[in-house]
Amino acid sequence: MYKVASDEGVKEMKPTEAHIRYVLTEIESLMLKLRKAFDSTNKRETLLPLRMAVHLMMQMLSDEEPRRIYYEIHARAKEPKNFEQLIYFLDRYDSDMQLTYEMIYCIWLLSFNKRFAQLFYVDKVSDMKTFSLLHFILKNTNTEKVIRITISLFRNLVTSESAKLLTCLVRLGVPKTLDNFAHGSFQDEDIMTEVNKLVEELEEYIEQISSFDEYRQEVVSNRLCWTPVHKSEKFWRENIKKFAEGDYILIRMLTAMLVAAAADAADVSEEALPEDASLPTMESLNVPEITTTLDPTVIGIACHDIGQFVSFHPRGKKILEKFGTKFLIYQLMEHPSDT
């Protein structure tokens, strides 16, 4: 609604679809011009018009009808999308908390449209950057309204039932950040309500895909990928004793992956090892030979999981010494390869 002065006084009028479409298109055009001008002008010169554009956009998107129209414009746009422009400026003005709040608020409003929410689904590496940025802001701000709106945005998207998005949030360490919030205090009581609800939703998802059998299958197949279990403290805490099965067979198999990586690193040798130590081999580990070249990501995850084992197992370091894993990691660190 907007107000119009007439001879009969001030009247409230509902904007037409044409009027809404015109205003949204003008906002999009302005933000696109600001984006193109950003790298060639002083940062301060774009700040005021950007604030005006974002504030007007926030007011417009507060109603469902403009959000519907905005989605239609967005879907047909050939130029960089307004959502992408918001992320672009969010990355460059993250120290301006009021502007940051209003930009995230706009994205939160857009997330109520189910079709638009699908644009958040994580299908490629570039999608991770959006959530990495939002998570970075969440971790590093003390502004309560920014914390609240970011968590509310995550909750809106989580309820859109995107498994890939849930995996993304877990991989980025959002559960850890939420756990840190639980030990803090906020004047806004609604923040902890939102935090607790998001924690419940993430934990429920993790429990669905975090069985130890599925993790074992990943290791046995030599096909590690960044599923939530690898960074879930709950998974490691609850399953750490199971790693003792088969004389720590999973740890031996993770070590074998590093042995395979060392085979490709020509400079790795036993020269610098203590006298009573030796690098492990497939034979000494008593595991099947790995005959294929492992992806660097697999090696990275194997190193990460070995680190998690040490963190959560009371005798983790001693066990790694027994299998030679500790010395192998040292050698790989001293002689870095592409892996």
Side-chain angles (χ1 to χ4, degrees):
M1 302 292 290
Y2 61 96
K3 295 179 180 180
V4 177
S6 67
D7 294 338
E8 301 175 0
V10 177
K11 293 184 177 180
E12 285 192 346
M13 299 185 65
K14 183 178 180 180
T16 64
E17 180 171 331
H19 176 257
I20 295 172
R21 193 175 295 275
Y22 172 78
V23 174
L24 290 175
T25 301
E26 287 299 301
I27 294 174
E28 177 129 7
S29 177
L30 174 58
M31 292 189 72
L32 179 57
K33 289 177 182 177
L34 292 174
R35 177 172 177 171
K36 290 180 177 179
F38 181 85
D39 293 330
S40 60
T41 60
N42 187 295
K43 187 175 180 179
R44 290 186 177 182
E45 293 182 15
T46 60
L47 182 56
L48 181 58
L50 179 63
R51 281 176 173 167
M52 295 172 60
V54 171
H55 189 73
L56 179 56
M57 182 179 181
M58 183 178 70
Q59 291 180 316
M60 292 291 294
L61 296 177
S62 295
D63 292 329
E64 184 176 353
E65 181 65 6
R67 290 200 295 270
R68 180 191 66 78
I69 296 172
Y70 175 85
Y71 176 80
E72 292 178 0
I73 296 172
H74 185 285
R76 293 197 303 268
K78 294 181 180 179
E79 295 285 357
K81 299 168 184 174
N82 211 324
F83 164 66
E84 294 174 358
Q85 292 171 31
L86 284 171
I87 297 300
Y88 175 86
F89 287 115
L90 189 61
D91 190 23
R92 288 154 179 80
Y93 288 101
D94 58 357
S95 61
D96 186 324
M97 285 299 102
Q98 180 59 32
L99 182 57
T100 293
Y101 170 75
E102 293 190 4
M103 286 192 283
I104 298 177
Y105 193 94
C106 286
I107 300 172
W108 173 70
L109 289 170
L110 291 169
S111 71
F112 282 94
N113 184 302
K114 290 184 178 180
R115 291 185 299 172
F116 194 90
Q118 292 174 0
L119 297 171
F120 293 86
Y121 291 3
V122 184
D123 289 319
K124 51 187 181 296
V125 174
S126 60
D127 296 329
M128 284 282 289
K129 294 179 182 178
T130 297
F131 294 100
S132 179
L133 173 60
L134 290 168
H135 182 225
F136 175 83
I137 293 170
L138 181 66
K139 284 194 303 181
N140 292 283
T141 184
N142 293 318
T143 306
E144 293 194 1
K145 63 182 181 180
V146 173
I147 294 173
R148 186 185 65 248
I149 198 63
T150 305
I151 293 175
S152 295
L153 169 60
F154 285 161
R155 284 206 63 224
N156 262 15
L157 298 174
V158 164
T159 54
S160 297
E161 301 180 355
S162 169
K164 290 181 180 179
L165 172 58
L166 286 162
T167 300
C168 172
L169 296 184
V170 173
R171 283 180 59 182
L172 289 172
V174 172
K176 178 72 173 180
T177 301
L178 298 178
D179 184 59
N180 292 337
F181 285 157
H183 301 293
S185 60
F186 299 98
Q187 293 182 350
D188 186 345
E189 296 179 358
D190 290 340
I191 290 180
M192 283 313 303
T193 300
E194 289 293 291
V195 166
N196 291 333
K197 287 179 180 178
L198 183 55
V199 167
E200 290 176 5
E201 288 158 347
L202 289 173
E203 286 185 346
E204 181 181 350
Y205 170 69
I206 290 172
E207 288 176 2
Q208 290 174 0
I209 48 82
S210 296
S211 76
F212 191 73
D213 288 340
E214 291 176 343
Y215 175 79
R216 183 191 290 110
Q217 185 56 40
E218 267 195 52
V219 177
V220 171
S221 66
N222 297 321
R223 294 179 180 176
L224 300 179
C225 56
W226 281 117
T227 51
V229 295
H230 299 280
K231 292 191 177 181
S232 168
E233 291 188 12
K234 186 173 186 290
F235 169 81
W236 288 96
R237 187 168 52 249
E238 293 182 354
N239 292 287
I240 196 64
K241 292 182 179 179
K242 295 180 181 179
F243 281 84
E245 296 174 0
D247 189 23
Y248 297 94
I249 180 62
L250 294 183
I251 297 302
R252 287 188 282 129
M253 297 189 80
L254 289 171
T255 302
M257 296 179 194
L258 303 189
V259 171
D264 296 329
D267 293 333
V268 174
S269 69
E270 299 187 1
E271 293 179 2
L273 295 179
E275 292 183 3
D276 59 344
S278 61
L279 294 178
T281 64
M282 301 294 181
E283 184 177 357
S284 68
L285 292 169
N286 193 24
V287 296
E289 189 83 18
I290 298 176
T291 57
T292 58
T293 301
L294 298 178
D295 186 275
T297 300
V298 173
I299 304 302
I301 297 173
C303 288
H304 172 272
D305 286 4
I306 289 170
Q308 292 290 78
F309 175 75
V310 171
S311 297
F312 286 91
H313 198 289
R315 295 180 54 249
K317 290 183 179 179
K318 292 292 184 182
I319 293 167
L320 292 192
E321 288 180 7
K322 170 186 174 182
F323 297 128
T325 314
K326 173 182 174 181
F327 307 115
L328 177 59
I329 291 175
Y330 286 161
Q331 291 293 292
L332 287 172
M333 289 174 64
E334 289 179 8
H335 303 279
S337 67
D338 291 339
T339 58

